Amino acid sequence: MNSYQDQLSRKFHDRSAKVAILGLGYVGLPLATIFAEAGFNVIGVEPDQAKVDMLRSGKSYVQDVPTENLARLIESGKLSATTDFSVLASADAISICVPTPLRKTGDPDLSYILVATDELVKYIHSGVVVVLESTTYPGTTREILLPKLTEYSGLKVGEDFFLAFSPERVDPGREDWTTYNTPKVIGGITPACSEMATLWYQQALETIVPVSSAESAEMAKLLENTFRMINIGLVNEMAIMCDRLGLDVWEIIDAAATKPFGFMKFTPGPGLGGHCIPIDPLYLSWKLRALNYTARFIDLASEINTGMPRYVVSKVQDALNEQGLPLKGSHILVIGAAYKPDIDDIRESPALDIIGLLLQKGAQVSYHDPYIPQIDHEDWVMESVPDLGESARSTDCAVIVTNHSSYDYDIILEQTPLIVDTRNALGNLGKKDRRVVRL
């Protein structure tokens, strides 16, 4: 170890290292609280002043971070927040947790990483560990962050400072696997970078999984979510095929899942949602196109999955037609808007596309979601109806898009004249009721 490694090692072990987290969203805020709980002094850098004000008052805006825990850490001084990037000048360890969305063209939008890196460049110094957590394509850490951090500073990576990638593995709403106990993959630009980043994260997280390089860590994240995206695409297409064959896809999946080896259960749905699965594999697909290679599995799965909202709308239209009703002018109630059950996250939710398509076809659309009081879409704004029962009784057709556990599906079935169930939320009740059309 050189002198910088020795200094950092001592600071990590005695918790005197100053930790900075860039970006206090669904990834950054839970990570910041984990390091603060471990005894580090943590400062979060967040450009959104409204979020900073909430944190300073001890209020959490992230479901996985309870307000009472956050308030305790803020009050103790272990956790603070600011919009001022100059605090990075005194940081010993910095984690970058900013968004990495896709542009409308399907290309990666690295603007948040670039802005964060440009700010970091102003304050980079010897004896600091920098870890990128934002999901991206293999090579981003080495090809984008490394040149910027070394060109302007004159510092040498692996000797003067240490740079690594560690993919976030946040699944909002889970209580069994959290930021603390979900194994953490880490890969550095050099072996020394991996060693120092691993040493830092070991002080706060349960299990660290070192890999040989930053590129390996970047690729591991994309493999995880590509695996899920492709298998979801498979069962979504299976649902379409079973519908053509007059078969019950839910029964078939449950039967196949009884096999104790060689099969992993995935279920169909109205489309992909969230901050990872609909987006991350397309980063890999984009990168491979630059190398004259077509990621065919990814492209096909993306085509199937992105077509599911339109397929759901066609099921609604067919169901209404059976009742002698046109889709245009009919009252449609969308039940559940979040991208998965029991969370307040609407990012990339298929409900957005389903509502938009129904509006385009002239339907009168409303929605109910106990976690999403209002949707501010670029093309429309809508508030959740206050009374699900009353809306269900007065609708022509309800579409179950998100199967929140708080919903009483017996009552929904009793009060609704026609239901398209995209999640098999009604189970056997829906299977036996002629008013229910299942995916």
Side-chain angles (χ1 to χ4, degrees):
M1 284 191 177
N2 65 22
S3 60
Y4 293 128
Q5 290 172 282
D6 287 336
Q7 292 171 18
L8 280 171
S9 179
R10 287 195 298 271
K11 288 182 176 182
F12 289 148
H13 283 115
D14 66 16
R15 304 298 195 271
S16 64
K18 296 179 180 178
V19 173
I21 308 293
L22 304 189
L24 296 175
Y26 287 84
V27 175
L29 188 57
L31 186 66
T33 59
I34 288 293
F35 280 119
E37 293 276 11
F40 290 96
N41 286 317
V42 181
I43 185 161
V45 182
E46 168 58 54
D48 186 338
Q49 184 66 56
K51 289 183 177 179
V52 170
D53 291 341
M54 282 189 69
L55 294 176
R56 287 175 174 173
S57 67
K59 296 178 182 178
S60 175
Y61 47 81
V62 173
Q63 187 177 347
D64 290 342
V65 179
T67 286
E68 55 269 26
N69 292 1
L70 177 71
R72 174 173 47 81
L73 293 170
I74 294 289
E75 186 176 355
S76 70
K78 285 297 181 183
L79 179 61
S80 59
T82 182
T83 59
D84 185 2
F85 283 86
S86 68
V87 297
L88 302 178
S90 60
D92 300 296
I94 301 167
S95 179
I96 302 173
C97 305
V98 296
T100 48
L102 288 174
R103 296 189 178 93
K104 290 185 177 181
T105 57
D107 297 336
D109 181 359
L110 300 183
S111 59
Y112 294 94
I113 291 180
L114 293 173
V115 168
T117 305
D118 288 342
E119 291 292 339
L120 176 56
V121 163
K122 302 174 186 177
Y123 307 105
I124 190 74
H125 54 86
S126 300
V128 66
V129 179
V130 178
V131 175
L132 175 64
E133 290 220 3
S134 307
T135 303
T136 184
Y137 60 84
T140 302
T141 308
R142 192 181 303 272
E143 296 166 6
I144 294 181
L145 270 71
L146 180 59
K148 283 180 173 288
L149 296 178
T150 54
E151 180 181 350
Y152 296 102
S153 67
L155 300 176
K156 188 168 183 179
V157 70
E159 295 183 10
D160 301 322
F161 78 104
F162 309 94
L163 178 61
F165 181 84
S166 180
E168 57 86 7
R169 282 173 162 175
V170 173
D171 192 3
R174 291 196 77 125
E175 296 182 0
D176 50 351
W177 293 106
T178 65
T179 301
Y180 170 70
N181 66 354
T182 300
K184 202 79 169 74
V185 174
I186 291 179
I189 294 296
T190 71
C193 294
S194 292
E195 181 181 352
M196 298 315 298
T198 296
L199 180 61
W200 170 27
Y201 276 61
Q202 279 176 337
Q203 310 310 310
L205 305 181
E206 190 173 77
T207 304
I208 305 299
V209 183
V211 293
S212 61
S213 66
E215 289 82 358
S216 293
E218 290 163 338
M219 189 64 169
K221 170 66 173 180
L222 297 184
L223 174 58
E224 295 168 17
N225 286 333
T226 299
F227 173 83
R228 294 173 67 190
M229 176 204 198
I230 289 174
N231 279 281
I232 292 170
L234 172 62
V235 293
N236 279 336
E237 186 171 38
M238 188 65 66
I240 295 171
M241 292 190 291
C242 285
D243 186 44
R244 298 283 181 90
L245 293 168
L247 298 173
D248 184 344
V249 69
W250 304 97
E251 177 188 21
I252 290 162
I253 290 172
D254 285 342
T258 62
K259 185 179 181 181
F261 54 88
F263 183 82
M264 181 177 290
K265 182 178 178 179
F266 286 81
T267 54
L272 293 182
H275 62 297
C276 285
I277 303 176
I279 294 173
D280 297 352
L282 300 182
Y283 270 67
L284 184 58
S285 178
W286 174 86
K287 176 68 173 179
L288 269 296
R289 283 201 299 273
L291 300 175
N292 296 316
Y293 183 86
T294 301
R296 288 165 287 179
F297 273 115
I298 293 175
D299 290 349
L300 179 57
S302 179
E303 179 183 339
I304 294 169
N305 291 327
T306 56
M308 290 307 291
R310 193 170 295 277
Y311 179 70
V312 169
V313 170
S314 73
K315 298 289 282 186
V316 173
Q317 191 164 12
D318 290 344
L320 288 168
N321 187 58
E322 288 293 319
Q323 303 297 316
L325 295 172
L327 178 56
K328 185 176 182 179
S330 289
H331 293 263
I332 311 297
L333 173 65
V334 172
I335 299 178
Y339 84 82
K340 60 177 274 190
D342 305 332
I343 65 169
D344 60 357
D345 192 342
I346 202 168
R347 287 176 295 173
E348 308 298 327
S349 173
L352 303 178
D353 288 331
I354 291 170
I355 291 173
L357 289 168
L358 289 169
L359 290 171
Q360 288 177 18
K361 290 184 177 295
Q364 299 184 45
V365 186
S366 59
Y367 85 94
H368 181 275
D369 193 306
Y371 297 91
I372 313 291
Q374 181 171 306
I375 301 175
D376 294 307
H377 192 268
E378 60 185 39
D379 297 322
W380 45 268
V381 176
M382 198 176 293
E383 291 185 356
S384 176
V385 295
D387 189 328
L388 176 57
E390 180 181 339
S391 297
R393 286 189 294 273
S394 61
T395 194
D396 293 308
C397 180
V399 188
I400 300 176
V401 175
T402 312
N403 49 330
H404 292 305
S405 61
S406 60
Y407 284 142
D408 189 327
Y409 292 103
D410 288 339
I411 293 179
I412 290 174
L413 180 59
E414 178 185 328
Q415 296 180 333
T416 312
L418 181 65
I419 299 175
V420 174
D421 185 359
T422 72
R423 299 288 189 179
N424 197 30
L426 299 170
N428 286 330
L429 292 174
K431 183 176 181 179
K432 297 174 183 177
D433 197 307
R434 297 182 65 179
R435 295 171 301 146
V436 178
V437 174
R438 301 195 298 165
L439 196 63

